[in-house]
Amino acid sequence: MKALILVGGFGTRLRPLTLSVPKPLVDFANKPMILHQIEALKAIGVTEVVLAINYQPEVMLNFLKEYEKRLEIKITCSQETEPLGTAGPLALARDKLIDDSGAPFFVLNSDVISEYPLKQMIEFHKGHGGEASIMVTKVDEPSKYGVVLMEETSGKVEKFVEKPKIFVGNKINAGIYLLNPSVLDRIELRPTSIEKEVFPKIAAENKLFAMVLPGFWMDIGQPKDYVAGLRLYLDSLRKMSSPKLATGPNIVGNVLVDESAVIGEGCLIGPDVAIGPGCIIDSGVRLSRCTVMRGVRIKKHACISSSIIGWHSTVGRWARIENMTILGEDVHVGDEVYSNGGVVLPHKEIKSSILKPEIVM
């Protein structure tokens, strides 16, 4: 089987992290976002993954070379010269996706994190005999999304309602699809939307079916959702009794610590924290609801909550970092500095406090 991952463009919503690497390579729970998906695809027998991309394909491919070997899966790029929306990239990659087997292929949105129940999706797709399957997930605020109206028993999709003003349902497109090759005949090579142009036509012919996603779901393309997504991901590891979760007297709730990280005495870590490789956490540090990426040093008695600390940054003694502060790569925060929602671009030194959410250039 094959799969296409819609990688897309610049990842502006996750800046300043995406100023250092393309968005799919930003770490989430101690590994690049896109690797969560590639590993899930490999686990159910996908042999080739095509990345639909219009920005820095060389960086992506160079980086993924080692994983290609390690996971024994073929990874190729299909590069857009202009943004093609969510359906155009499928037409562009047509020759890479179609083979003699006539097997369906997966399409995934690169920002989506979940338990990826892809095996169940294959069974569901075979069972209904339609042309396309989509995953849907239940959300509390459907008005922000496109809502999918479907028959509860069969899963047959009736129609889509874009950002409804009144309540019509709470199931939204989860950005994971399984499509027969015939779907490619419906897509022209131009900027086009799979959600607004392709799926409604398939639904009108009664050939589109939706499966309700079990477990958690989050689009982690922006900081607040990234932090919320980490909580859901760690919670899911807890439910599966994963040995990856850290334990110890200084750990509270669900915490992921890379084995090469060093944590000092008297720290309190958690809940919902990921600490990357090579990090040094000095004594008396307090971390909660945050991600600390590879090579970060956090000095004595600093306190960090609801924030993302980018690669190789330093947080000074008694510093306080909170309220969706995002430090880009190689940012150095001085001793006793306070950051309330500061978004700091890479390679900066912060010597004075950031009292309200702002971007520091």
Side-chain angles (χ1 to χ4, degrees), residues 141-293:
E141 287 184 65
S143 60
K144 294 197 307 199
Y145 305 93
V147 172
V148 181
L149 298 183
M150 55 189 268
E151 279 180 9
E152 289 299 320
T153 46
S154 67
K156 192 174 82 184
V157 173
E158 288 155 3
K159 63 174 180 174
F160 295 83
V161 184
E162 194 55 39
K163 298 186 177 170
K165 295 278 182 283
I166 56 167
F167 184 85
V168 290
N170 65 348
K171 297 183 189 75
I172 64 160
N173 177 350
I176 302 172
Y177 318 131
L178 185 54
L179 312 176
N180 286 352
S182 58
V183 171
L184 294 170
D185 299 335
R186 298 174 179 267
I187 304 172
E188 295 171 31
L189 184 49
R190 61 178 175 84
T192 165
S193 160
I194 199 164
E195 300 86 356
K196 291 175 187 165
E197 296 179 59
V198 182
F199 286 158
K201 287 178 184 163
I202 304 176
E205 295 175 24
N206 297 323
K207 292 180 181 173
L208 180 66
F209 291 79
M211 171 181 155
V212 179
L213 180 80
F216 77 99
W217 176 88
M218 186 56 81
D219 176 330
I220 54 172
Q222 55 190 342
K224 146 174 98 43
D225 297 334
Y226 176 105
V227 170
L230 182 66
R231 177 178 62 79
L232 296 172
Y233 175 82
L234 295 176
D235 201 37
S236 152
L237 290 185
R238 171 71 63 200
K239 285 184 181 131
M240 295 189 265
S241 308
S242 170
K244 291 178 187 168
L245 290 172
T247 50
N250 54 351
I251 303 287
V252 183
N254 300 331
V255 175
L256 212 50
V257 180
D258 186 88
E259 56 191 19
S260 62
V262 179
I263 296 178
E265 289 177 15
C267 290
L268 192 56
I269 313 281
D272 309 321
V273 172
I275 298 174
C279 290
I280 297 174
I281 314 292
D282 287 354
S283 60
V285 166
R286 174 76 180 101
L287 304 177
S288 64
R289 296 180 304 284
C290 64
T291 288
V292 179
M293 293 185 180

Side-chain angles (χ1 to χ4, degrees), residues 120-145:
Q120 293 99 297
M121 196 174 191
I122 294 172
E123 297 303 318
F124 174 74
H125 188 75
K126 283 178 183 160
H128 67 64
E131 195 174 357
S133 299
I134 67 173
M135 287 260 192
V136 293
T137 185
K138 294 177 181 174
V139 290
D140 296 334
E141 287 184 65
S143 60
K144 294 197 307 199
Y145 305 93

Side-chain angles (χ1 to χ4, degrees), residues 3-183:
L4 178 95
I5 299 179
L6 294 165
V7 172
F10 302 115
T12 45
R13 297 180 305 161
L14 262 189
R15 282 184 184 158
L17 302 170
T18 49
L19 295 172
S20 298
V21 296
K23 182 170 60 177
L25 301 185
V26 170
D27 295 309
F28 176 81
N30 289 354
K31 64 182 161 194
M33 282 186 196
I34 201 165
L35 206 55
H36 291 272
Q37 300 186 327
I38 294 173
E39 287 176 353
L41 289 163
K42 166 70 184 176
I44 52 119
V46 168
T47 53
E48 182 174 350
V49 175
V50 182
L51 308 178
I53 189 169
N54 60 25
Y55 175 62
Q56 293 187 320
E58 317 72 35
V59 181
M60 288 282 289
L61 281 178
N62 290 341
F63 180 86
L64 291 167
K65 279 271 179 294
E66 84 174 91
Y67 292 105
E68 203 175 26
K69 285 198 193 79
R70 197 190 302 175
L71 297 171
E72 297 176 340
I73 189 169
K74 186 177 175 189
I75 301 172
T76 58
C77 263
S78 170
Q79 192 186 357
E80 306 162 37
T81 48
E82 58 166 339
L84 290 172
T86 51
L90 277 71
L92 187 66
R94 183 189 174 103
D95 295 343
K96 294 180 188 280
L97 294 170
I98 285 191
D99 55 22
D100 302 335
S101 72
F105 58 89
F106 281 102
V107 176
L108 284 83
N109 200 330
S110 71
D111 292 353
V112 166
I113 193 91
S114 76
E115 284 165 16
Y116 308 114
L118 306 177
K119 198 163 184 287
Q120 293 99 297
M121 196 174 191
I122 294 172
E123 297 303 318
F124 174 74
H125 188 75
K126 283 178 183 160
H128 67 64
E131 195 174 357
S133 299
I134 67 173
M135 287 260 192
V136 293
T137 185
K138 294 177 181 174
V139 290
D140 296 334
E141 287 184 65
S143 60
K144 294 197 307 199
Y145 305 93
V147 172
V148 181
L149 298 183
M150 55 189 268
E151 279 180 9
E152 289 299 320
T153 46
S154 67
K156 192 174 82 184
V157 173
E158 288 155 3
K159 63 174 180 174
F160 295 83
V161 184
E162 194 55 39
K163 298 186 177 170
K165 295 278 182 283
I166 56 167
F167 184 85
V168 290
N170 65 348
K171 297 183 189 75
I172 64 160
N173 177 350
I176 302 172
Y177 318 131
L178 185 54
L179 312 176
N180 286 352
S182 58
V183 171

